[in-house]
Amino acid sequence: MKKTSSFSDFVSKNKNTILLLLVCALIFIGGYCLAKPNAEESIPPSEYSEYERAKITAVLADSTERDETSDGGWRGEQLLLAEILSGQYKGETMQVSNFVGPLYGVPLYEGDGAVLIISTYENGDHTATVFEFDRMIPLAVIVILFLAAAVIVGGKTGAKSLAGLLVTLASLFFILLPSLMKGAPTLPTVFAVCAYIAVVSLAILGGVQKKTVCAMLGTVSGTALAMIFGILAQNLARIDGLRVPDVEPLLQLRQTGTPIGLTGLLVGGIVISALGAVMDVTMGISSSLFEVSAANPELGQKELFRSGMNVGRDMVGTMTNTLILAFLGSSFVLILYLYSIGLSTHQLLSSSYLSIEVISGISSSIGVILSIPITAFITAKALAKK
């Protein structure tokens, strides 16, 4: 009886949050149904390749060695015996080659896991080579350590943040990416999914109450401003998603019939990268103002807004640095290469590489900076007594 009463109290206390999350769950299901790829019947090819897991059972030959000219990277070739652990050839032991170079592959030893490329030919013969070291278990360990740290240090709030992260990943991989591959307009789709992620994540984290609703409105406004500034910046610089690194395979897909929108990918990436920082800032300001108002309920809108701006100014420096350094860090190898070849100032500043990094970093920072006065104003308006 007590458990039933406790559950009823929980539902009664959090009915708005539960209702919002149920609506969001229905939206997710609808979005997934619209975005999922259409089932197409196709004739299986007579020759094909599969990627399957295997275990190395013996090293038959090994010519790998350290290459000092490649900063100690491995180079050479191995001949191995591998037991197939998945797929149609599971249980079979095959002789495989492992080609190793500074930019690809690592030496493998008896007992190591590997992923093989198994090629099956029209006459039924099949051969295999090593694709890569099997990193499934190491990555699983890394993820488990992250989850444990989040829950141990963050407690219930850490667990809620992980639930929000799960929603984020599901929204990106099951709605956003499939929708873009089916030809959905890039920027509206990215923005809609990011707004959905913000609402659900903040609802999970803080429930549906004034504080989180103010943070939601501030987050959506901040990401919208980051998107608008990104569009203006790319038009000024005459550059778009077609100049983003690694876009060439997507261009080939476009030319073979996949209706993916490419020009909006630059600003779409800006919106996604800005979302986390904007959520952090808006929730921080909203929470701070609620604490200030609780300590002094008689404060007016102007005083609360001023307090919010003071809190926000302290965040600007660190958050802007975080975003700029994140973009520069992700392109650190490219920046080092550009520096090494001694480009002139005019050549460097006019290059698409630098322009993309500048636009991405500054547009995301603009979204963070402008979300501060917006969230402070919204929260002060909601809390002001006079």
Side-chain angles (χ1 to χ4, degrees), residues 66 89 91 97 110 127 130 164 228 248 264 314 332 359 367 369 372:
R66 295 282 189 180
Y89 302 113
S97 297
E110 186 175 338
T127 59
V130 173
I228 292 169
E248 186 176 352
D314 291 336
F332 181 64
I359 291 171
I369 292 168
I372 292 170

Side-chain angles (χ1 to χ4, degrees), residues 20-21 24-25 163-164 167 171 195-205 216:
L20 176 62
L21 292 178
C24 289
V167 170
S171 300
Y196 173 83
I197 290 171
V199 170
V200 177
S201 299
L202 291 171
I204 292 173
L205 192 62
M216 290 173 190

Side-chain angles (χ1 to χ4, degrees), residues 217-239:
L217 294 173
T219 300
V220 173
S221 301
T223 50
L225 290 170
M227 180 176 70
I228 292 169
F229 189 87
I231 293 170
L232 293 174
Q234 75 168 13
N235 288 337
L236 269 176
R238 299 189 185 182
I239 197 168

Side-chain angles (χ1 to χ4, degrees), residues 27-28 31 35 167-180 184-201 220 223 271-272 275 279:
I27 293 173
F28 181 89
V167 170
T168 300
L169 295 176
S171 300
L172 293 177
F173 285 97
F174 295 117
I175 296 180
L176 178 60
L177 298 183
S179 297
L180 295 180
T186 303
L187 287 182
T189 305
V190 170
F191 179 73
V193 171
C194 286
Y196 173 83
I197 290 171
V199 170
V200 177
S201 299
V220 173
T223 50
V271 173
I272 294 172
L275 178 61
M279 285 174 62

Side-chain angles (χ1 to χ4, degrees), residues 31-51:
Y32 172 75
C33 292
L34 291 173
K36 69 178 181 179
N38 299 323
E40 297 179 357
E41 294 185 3
S42 59
I43 301 173
S46 56
E47 297 186 358
Y48 54 92
S49 296
E50 301 168 290
Y51 291 81

Side-chain angles (χ1 to χ4, degrees), residues 172 176 186-187 190-191 194 219 222-235 237 239-241 244 263-279 323-324 326-327 354-368:
L172 293 177
L176 178 60
T186 303
L187 287 182
V190 170
F191 179 73
C194 286
T219 300
T223 50
L225 290 170
M227 180 176 70
I228 292 169
F229 189 87
I231 293 170
L232 293 174
Q234 75 168 13
N235 288 337
I239 197 168
D240 55 33
V244 173
T263 56
L265 291 179
L266 172 57
V267 179
I270 290 169
V271 173
I272 294 172
S273 62
L275 178 61
V278 173
M279 285 174 62
L323 286 168
I324 297 295
F327 280 107
L354 185 66
S355 299
I356 286 172
E357 296 306 317
V358 169
I359 291 171
S360 299
I362 291 180
S363 299
S364 298
S365 299
I366 284 287
V368 173

Side-chain angles (χ1 to χ4, degrees), residues 55-289:
K55 180 181 179 181
I56 305 303
T57 57
V59 178
L60 304 178
D62 188 347
S63 65
T64 58
E65 60 181 0
R66 295 282 189 180
D67 183 4
E68 294 304 322
T69 61
S70 301
D71 198 20
W74 288 96
R75 190 185 296 277
E77 182 181 347
Q78 290 179 304
L79 187 62
L80 310 167
L81 284 181
E83 179 186 355
I84 312 301
L85 301 179
S86 63
Q88 61 176 320
Y89 302 113
K90 182 178 178 180
E92 182 177 333
T93 298
M94 299 180 65
Q95 183 173 290
V96 300
S97 297
N98 180 29
F99 302 99
V100 180
L103 303 180
Y104 56 88
V106 293
L108 298 175
Y109 307 100
E110 186 175 338
D112 281 347
V115 175
L116 307 182
I117 305 175
I118 304 178
S119 301
T120 301
Y121 304 101
E122 191 171 359
N123 61 3
D125 292 343
H126 53 278
T127 59
T129 57
V130 173
F131 169 67
E132 263 293 0
F133 171 67
D134 187 356
R135 297 185 173 91
M136 184 179 296
I137 293 176
L139 290 177
V141 170
I142 293 169
V143 171
I144 290 170
L145 291 174
F146 162 69
L147 297 177
V151 173
I152 291 170
V153 177
K156 188 183 292 186
T157 303
K160 288 180 180 180
S161 68
L162 292 178
L165 176 61
L166 183 63
V167 170
T168 300
L169 295 176
S171 300
L172 293 177
F173 285 97
F174 295 117
I175 296 180
L176 178 60
L177 298 183
S179 297
L180 295 180
M181 293 299 292
K182 291 184 74 172
T186 303
L187 287 182
T189 305
V190 170
F191 179 73
V193 171
C194 286
Y196 173 83
I197 290 171
V199 170
V200 177
S201 299
L202 291 171
I204 292 173
L205 192 62
V208 177
Q209 50 182 313
K210 273 188 177 182
K211 179 172 67 175
T212 49
V213 171
C214 291
M216 290 173 190
L217 294 173
T219 300
V220 173
S221 301
T223 50
L225 290 170
M227 180 176 70
I228 292 169
F229 189 87
I231 293 170
L232 293 174
Q234 75 168 13
N235 288 337
L236 269 176
R238 299 189 185 182
I239 197 168
D240 55 33
L242 287 168
R243 305 294 293 275
V244 173
D246 302 322
V247 77
E248 186 176 352
L250 294 178
L251 180 59
Q252 293 173 356
L253 279 177
R254 171 88 187 189
Q255 292 170 346
T256 55
T258 302
I260 183 171
L262 301 179
T263 56
L265 291 179
L266 172 57
V267 179
I270 290 169
V271 173
I272 294 172
S273 62
L275 178 61
V278 173
M279 285 174 62
D280 190 15
V281 167
T282 55
M283 193 63 186
I285 291 174
S286 181
S287 297
S288 299
L289 285 186

